[in-house]
């Protein structure tokens, strides 16, 4: 199991690097940072950068404050923290208590992590998933973009079932094999799933805060498009003459056409 965990870490690292090379994420961030420096209207001190990093950690990373929908945010927090607790407790149990029957509070944390992960994941899958309500797709109609959440749900589900059936013979071993298969799928398919986004998300959120602080504002209008100077900042020429408040648009009604 220790060798298996090490292999999964290698697969995640390799998948993330390949994803970064394919999408050129690192290149984009560096080039965007240089562009922001050229358009900056003020310099940001080291203390201010540290403050922005702490705010990013507190809002976008730890509490997922970028989600405006409270249900989506709660689902994400259950899933994210459940996953972290499940993975950390698994590593502690496998490397720290491999041959000891008493593992303190860690087995409890392992189960809490698995349950939280399953609760948040199933909440998202059946009630929040983006295209279920607005596009009429059924919950069982899968596409490649669903690979991440489906393998995540399978991992937590079979982990719980394996725990409940340990010592029952063939059934317990069946759930253990399915648990390993789901876990391997999750960590071996990083290149094709959205798993890698968790590494880029904090960096993108921090960079966005810095561009607001230095005045570059990602080359977007900062006040009003009625100001000629601000109009020219807009990257889309068609919107340069549009008023800042363009109406609620898509937010004026909930998507319920199917």
């Amino acid at each position: 199991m220790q060798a298996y965990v090490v292999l999964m870490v290698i697969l995640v690292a390799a998948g993330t690097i390949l994803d970064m090379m394919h999408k050129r994420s690192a290149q984009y961030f560096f080039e965007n940072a240089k562009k922001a420096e050229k358009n900056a209207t003020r310099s940001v001190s080291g203390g201010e950068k540290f403050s922005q990093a702490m705010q990013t950690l507190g809002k976008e990373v730890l509490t997922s404050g970028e989600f405006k929908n409270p249900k989506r945010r709660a689902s994400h927090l259950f899933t994210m923290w459940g996953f972290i607790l499940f993975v950390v407790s698994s590593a502690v149990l496998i490397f720290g208590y491999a041959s000891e029957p008493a593992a303190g509070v860690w087995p409890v944390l392992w189960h809490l992590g698995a349950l939280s992960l399953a609760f948040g994941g199933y909440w998202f899958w059946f009630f929040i998933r983006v295209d279920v309500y607005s596009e009429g797709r059924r919950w069982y109609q899968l596409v490649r973009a669903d690979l991440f959440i489906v393998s995540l749900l399978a991992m937590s589900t079979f982990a719980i079932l394996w725990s409940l059936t340990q010592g029952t013979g063939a059934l317990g071993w069946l759930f253990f094999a399915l648990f390993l298969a789901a876990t391997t799928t999750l960590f071996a398919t990083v290149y094709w799933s959205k798993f890698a986004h968790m590494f880029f998300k904090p960096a993108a959120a921090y960079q966005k805060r810095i561009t607001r602080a230095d005045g570059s504002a990602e080359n977007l209008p900062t006040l009003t498009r009625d100001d000629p100077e601000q109009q020219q900042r807009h990257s889309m020429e068609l919107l340069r003459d549009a008023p800042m408040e363009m109406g609620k648009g898509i937010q004026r009604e909930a998507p319920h056409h199917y």
Side-chain angles (χ1 to χ4, degrees):
M1 287 306 300
Q2 291 177 356
Y4 175 80
V5 171
V6 172
L7 176 61
M8 293 302 103
V9 172
I10 293 174
L11 288 176
V12 170
T16 303
I17 292 172
L18 288 174
D19 181 82
M20 185 170 58
M21 293 172 61
H22 174 67
K23 297 178 180 176
R24 300 182 180 179
S25 304
Q27 179 182 348
Y28 166 78
F29 281 124
F30 285 124
E31 291 179 354
N32 207 34
K34 291 181 180 179
K35 183 179 179 181
E37 289 179 0
K38 294 179 181 179
N39 296 330
T41 59
R42 60 181 294 266
S43 60
V44 182
S45 64
E48 192 173 357
K49 289 181 179 179
F50 178 77
S51 175
Q52 294 293 342
M54 291 298 100
Q55 292 180 47
T56 302
L57 179 64
K59 183 178 181 180
E60 283 83 1
V61 178
L62 298 180
T63 61
S64 302
E66 75 279 8
F67 289 108
K68 303 303 179 183
N69 186 325
K71 294 181 180 180
R72 179 69 181 89
R73 183 180 183 183
S75 168
H76 182 82
L77 287 173
F78 272 109
T79 305
M80 179 183 72
W81 285 109
F83 175 79
I84 292 173
L85 187 60
F86 179 77
V87 170
V88 170
S89 57
S90 295
V92 171
L93 288 168
I94 291 172
F95 287 94
Y97 298 93
S99 58
E100 298 181 29
V105 72
W106 289 105
V108 176
L109 296 178
W110 186 90
H111 286 86
L112 287 176
L115 289 170
S116 176
L117 175 56
F119 175 74
Y122 281 112
W123 186 3
F124 167 77
W125 183 257
F126 287 109
F127 301 104
I128 306 177
R129 186 168 165 237
V130 174
D131 59 0
V132 171
Y133 193 43
S134 61
E135 297 184 11
R137 296 184 67 90
R138 305 298 183 184
W139 64 267
Y140 52 80
Q141 291 178 300
L142 305 178
V143 295
R144 194 173 70 173
D146 297 323
L147 181 63
F148 173 72
I149 183 63
V150 171
S151 58
L152 198 65
L153 285 174
M155 180 183 72
S156 60
T157 301
F158 290 128
I160 296 170
L161 292 175
W162 168 57
S163 175
L164 294 174
T165 57
Q166 284 190 53
T168 60
L171 185 61
W173 282 108
L174 173 62
F175 285 134
F176 179 67
L178 293 173
F179 169 42
L180 285 184
T183 304
T184 305
T185 301
L186 175 67
F187 293 128
T189 58
V190 171
Y191 180 76
W192 297 278
S193 75
K194 59 178 293 185
F195 192 101
H197 95 287
M198 67 177 62
F199 302 107
F200 304 134
K201 180 182 172 183
Y206 172 72
Q207 187 179 51
K208 186 174 183 178
R209 285 180 175 273
I210 292 298
T211 60
R212 290 176 177 176
D214 64 17
S216 58
E218 298 181 310
N219 200 34
L220 294 174
T222 55
L223 298 174
T224 171
R225 282 184 281 265
D226 297 329
D227 182 355
E229 182 180 349
Q230 295 297 320
Q231 286 179 355
Q232 298 307 312
R233 289 175 60 91
H234 207 292
S235 57
M236 293 183 65
E237 185 175 352
L238 291 175
L239 294 179
R240 285 179 181 174
D241 296 330
M244 179 63 79
E245 179 55 60
M246 299 178 64
K248 291 186 177 181
I250 197 172
Q251 297 179 358
R252 65 176 173 260
E253 62 175 334
H256 53 72
H257 302 297
Y258 290 86

